[in-house]
Amino acid sequence: MISVDKTVKVIDGCTPDRIPDEVLSSTEPLILKGLASSWPIVQAGLVSDEDAARYLLQFYQGQEVAAFLGKPENNGRIFYNETLTGFNYDTVSTKLDFALRQFAAQADNPQPPTIYIGSTVIDNYLPGFRADNDLDLQQHNPLVSIWLSNKCRIAAHWDSPLNIACSVVGHRRFTLFPFEQMENLYVGPLDKTPAGQAISLVDFYNPDFEKFPKFKQALEHAQVADLDAGDGIFIPSMWWHHVESLSPLNILVNYWFKGSPAFYGKPVNALFHSLLSIRDLPPEQRAAWKMIFDHYIFEYCKDNFSHIPEPAQGAIGELTDDNARKIRAKLLNQLNR
């Protein structure tokens, strides 16, 4: 495993019903020590993995969940096959109670097959769980999910929403990089990915510095966060994070929230549309479009449009729910031609 000198800043005193605004607006990752330590699922897991499983299953209604199954020789790495044309795991549907029995059966295996259940919406699959195991983030309308696995590792990737992740059973390690390290992380395909987000192709357990020499520069900016059961981590939007599950049973609950009005669009949609319409234009046209994007988007200044009466500004005016609907309608009309 790579060595990282800098650790993520630790914040004490956060509780499920009191997370300060300065945490939620931080531009750096933060360890929220003991954030979820009072949750019953955490207390059950501190007794045993079996107690944690029993506690969880009292909310389970029997629906099948999606799971990744990897061979023992993958050593827990969720990744591509050798040619990047597919993946090194199989995706199956299974019952949560069956999966939990498999975690227990493999607990003493020094090189178990990988079992990974990711991003499962709690309210859909474990109704009632959040009554006693929750953070007071309702005003942000978060997407709340549960993740279960044995020992495994998820390649460095970024997420657009803000994220608070709580390690509730087992131990986890996050290795994080600011987004400007993207070039040094050697990112793989944009549209064929293990779980929806582009990932670093560097194996953090055995980095190939001949193939990925700039990864050494990325490591100079890395931060590491080791989480015990009950600890949380705040990950700002767009920070790259590599995630390791270090115990025979690991359970994590995370909260994704936008930190912006719900009517805002997804920036990644603009990226894909730009790939379709701008990237391969002649250089002089790309340069012109770069100036246009700077003018309207990246260097936007309201004063630059003061010569247009506000009622006539349309799409370049204030982005409201109504204005957002009009822009989407215009986009759909154009895309369907």
Side-chain angles (χ1 to χ4, degrees):
M1 177 58 188
I2 58 172
S3 176
V4 176
D5 294 330
K6 185 176 181 180
T7 58
V8 171
K9 181 180 179 181
V10 176
I11 301 294
D12 292 310
C14 292
T15 60
D17 59 352
R18 194 187 74 82
I19 303 175
D21 289 341
E22 54 265 31
V23 168
L24 301 180
S25 61
S26 175
T27 58
E28 295 274 334
L30 301 169
I31 294 173
L32 310 179
K33 193 66 181 174
L35 174 64
S37 59
S38 63
W39 287 4
I41 182 65
V42 175
Q43 295 302 313
L46 291 175
V47 176
S48 69
D49 289 351
E50 292 76 14
D51 280 57
R54 278 195 295 271
Y55 180 83
L56 201 62
L57 289 175
Q58 68 180 304
F59 304 100
Y60 180 53
Q61 304 297 302
Q63 310 98 312
E64 290 193 338
V65 296
F68 293 171
L69 300 181
K71 297 178 180 179
E73 54 264 33
N74 294 342
N75 293 314
R77 191 183 189 200
I78 305 291
F79 198 62
Y80 292 98
N81 60 19
E82 290 185 0
T83 60
L84 271 66
T85 56
F87 305 105
N88 69 347
Y89 56 84
D90 294 317
T91 302
V92 301
S93 293
T94 187
K95 295 291 186 73
L96 184 59
D97 50 352
F98 177 78
L100 286 165
R101 289 197 297 272
Q102 300 313 302
F103 291 135
Q106 296 292 337
D108 296 325
N109 186 344
Q111 192 176 28
T114 302
I115 309 169
Y116 173 81
I117 299 171
S119 192
T120 301
V121 178
I122 287 179
D123 289 344
N124 293 346
Y125 290 86
L126 300 169
F129 174 86
R130 291 176 60 196
D132 295 312
N133 306 271
D134 203 12
L135 302 181
D136 184 11
L137 295 171
Q138 282 75 17
Q139 70 274 26
H140 298 288
N141 192 29
L143 175 64
V144 188
S145 302
I146 193 167
W147 312 64
L148 304 95
S149 72
N150 55 359
K151 293 181 180 180
C152 72
R153 44 198 172 110
I154 306 302
H157 62 283
W158 57 270
D159 297 306
S160 182
L162 304 171
N163 186 8
I164 293 182
C166 300
S167 179
V168 297
V169 176
H171 302 271
R172 295 211 179 220
R173 175 177 296 132
F174 287 74
T175 306
L176 303 105
F177 305 81
F179 195 79
E180 56 265 27
Q181 292 305 307
M182 177 178 180
E183 182 179 346
N184 298 331
L185 290 171
Y186 297 91
V187 181
L190 188 60
D191 53 347
K192 188 178 183 63
T193 68
Q197 294 294 87
I199 65 171
S200 169
L201 299 184
V202 181
D203 184 349
F204 280 33
Y205 274 29
N206 186 30
D208 184 343
F209 290 114
E210 289 189 6
K211 187 176 182 180
F212 306 120
K214 291 186 288 187
F215 183 59
K216 290 182 179 179
Q217 298 176 41
L219 289 175
E220 295 174 3
H221 302 271
Q223 300 182 36
V224 67
D226 285 309
L227 303 187
D228 294 322
D231 292 342
I233 183 171
F234 173 75
I235 304 176
S237 172
M238 311 301 286
W239 271 70
W240 293 90
H241 47 289
H242 175 277
V243 189
E244 299 169 73
S245 302
L246 301 172
S247 304
L249 174 64
N250 300 270
I251 302 177
L252 179 139
V253 173
N254 91 298
Y255 296 73
W256 275 320
F257 52 104
K258 294 178 67 172
S260 58
F263 56 78
Y264 280 23
K266 293 182 177 180
V268 72
N269 292 342
L271 173 62
F272 276 104
H273 192 46
S274 297
L275 289 171
L276 177 67
S277 55
I278 296 176
R279 186 194 64 183
D280 293 330
L281 291 175
E284 63 277 6
Q285 293 185 33
R286 288 205 311 273
W289 277 106
K290 184 178 185 301
M291 292 176 64
I292 290 172
F293 270 73
D294 285 343
H295 182 68
Y296 287 106
I297 308 296
F298 298 111
E299 298 178 8
Y300 170 78
C301 176
K302 184 177 182 179
D303 292 344
N304 289 343
F305 304 96
S306 60
H307 59 285
I308 305 175
E310 286 193 9
Q313 288 184 0
I316 62 173
E318 181 183 358
L319 188 59
T320 62
D321 191 9
D322 182 61
N323 207 6
R325 281 198 295 268
K326 291 178 180 177
I327 293 172
R328 285 195 180 90
K330 185 176 182 66
L331 278 172
L332 288 171
N333 184 52
Q334 294 294 329
L335 288 170
N336 287 331
R337 288 185 177 180

